Amino acid sequence: MLFYPMTSAGLRFIRALYALELPQILQILGILNGNTSLKLSRLVAILVATLLTSAGFIHLLESSGDPWLDSHHKGHLSFFDCIYFLVVTMSTVGYGDVFMSTTLGRLYITGFIAIGLGMFATYVPEVVEIIINRERFSGQYKDEGKLHVVVCGHITLASVSAFMREFFHEDRGEVNIRVLFLGNFCPDQELEAFFSRWFMHVIFYQGSVLKRKDQDRVMMDKANACLILCDRYATDHHNEDVTNLIRVIAIKQFYPNTRVIVQMLKHYSKAYLQNVSNWEWSRGDGVICLAELKLGFMAQSCLVPGLSTLLANLFSMQGGPLE
């Protein structure tokens, strides 16, 4: 009878699991916008919720004592002592100044160690890596007296490598232009290794082109051009074009004189650009419609055989020795 009232009153610590919903709430409120911030908040929420809930279980077991003993041997650990004990245990430090006095507490911590150590070894290094990468890619570009272009939109290893292969092809001669990639994510190891190989020409900044402060970091006002890449393999072409259209509006809203070149998937998406404020063809603003190019090449090839091959060779560089 003594164990039941203590249990019913002490289960309030389960409320700590509500911390798992905090990242979603912050995202709805607009506080968290980027994927990296959302991922970081989820990892921290999992660690905090697990720590507080497990500390509550230990505190409950230690305060209740072993029910099969007549004396109900109880521990004298406070809730904060339990949190301290779990942190020391999961970090494998193990000072030994705090320990379990009851058999139930020892059984619980024996099972928790396997789970807690696994979570600590997995989530904590990931959190540290995200924080370090945010610091590494959160700098600001400084004017070095050379031209630079900003590339944003769908940035992946495939799209970036294809862009760099064409932009810096040896047949174009020496291209003294710095390429600044702006993406609202933390690059993976493969993409980071690619940027490291091109460190003389490429800088990656983590941020959103929809925010003015991130546009200022890449000096959008002084950029020779801003290129917006699209996802050619997107399942929803309309949604992909609308996303790029929003990027164009954000750039033209803050820096109307910046030249913008955007990729679109559907030909009818070009009509929306006419309604964008400060969009001017005379300034050099342009749109590349992939569907229109494909259909145009196919139609012209029917009239003039080999024309599509000729045009493709004019616009793309072919490497390797000629046979």
Side-chain angles (χ1 to χ4, degrees), residues 132-170:
I132 293 176
N133 288 336
R134 284 173 64 90
E135 294 294 332
R136 189 192 317 173
F137 302 126
S138 62
Q140 183 171 355
Y141 180 70
K142 298 180 181 180
D143 189 5
E144 300 177 355
K146 62 188 302 186
L147 300 176
H148 75 278
V149 296
V150 180
V151 181
C152 58
H154 184 68
I155 299 178
T156 60
L157 180 60
S159 62
V160 168
S161 58
F163 174 83
M164 296 297 296
R165 185 169 56 251
E166 286 291 327
F167 197 82
F168 289 100
H169 197 277
E170 56 183 7

Side-chain angles (χ1 to χ4, degrees), residues 70-143:
D70 296 334
S71 60
H72 285 283
H73 178 68
K74 301 178 181 180
H76 301 282
L77 297 181
S78 65
F79 181 73
F80 296 101
D81 290 335
C82 297
I83 295 177
Y84 168 76
F85 171 77
L86 289 179
V87 172
V88 172
T89 302
M90 288 192 297
S91 61
T92 68
V93 177
Y95 290 119
D97 52 345
V98 178
F99 55 89
M100 302 294 99
S101 301
T102 63
T103 304
L104 286 177
R106 293 171 181 173
L107 290 176
Y108 177 81
I109 198 62
T110 301
F112 176 80
I113 285 177
I115 302 175
L117 289 179
M119 292 183 58
F120 192 88
T122 303
Y123 291 161
V124 172
E126 195 169 353
V127 170
V128 174
E129 182 180 0
I130 292 176
I131 295 176
I132 293 176
N133 288 336
R134 284 173 64 90
E135 294 294 332
R136 189 192 317 173
F137 302 126
S138 62
Q140 183 171 355
Y141 180 70
K142 298 180 181 180
D143 189 5

Side-chain angles (χ1 to χ4, degrees), residues 225-228 248 251-252 258-262 279 284-287:
C226 178
L227 288 78
I228 304 177
V248 174
I251 296 172
K252 287 298 183 179
T258 300
R259 180 188 177 195
V260 178
I261 302 175
V262 57
W279 176 273
D285 297 333
V287 56

Side-chain angles (χ1 to χ4, degrees), residues 15 22 28 57 60-61 74 78 84 87 99 124 127 136 147 197 221-222 225-226 241 245 275 281 290 303 305 307:
R15 298 175 183 175
L22 184 60
I28 295 175
F57 271 114
L60 174 64
L61 296 175
K74 301 178 181 180
S78 65
Y84 168 76
V87 172
F99 55 89
V124 172
V127 170
R136 189 192 317 173
L147 300 176
R197 292 197 301 268
D221 56 333
K222 296 184 179 181
C226 178
D241 287 346
L245 180 63
N275 300 324
W281 301 101
L290 301 182
L303 300 176
L307 180 62

Side-chain angles (χ1 to χ4, degrees), residues 33-50:
N33 297 321
N35 295 330
T36 304
S37 300
L38 183 60
K39 182 179 180 181
L40 178 62
S41 63
R42 286 176 177 174
L43 292 175
V44 174
I46 292 174
L47 288 173
V48 172
T50 304

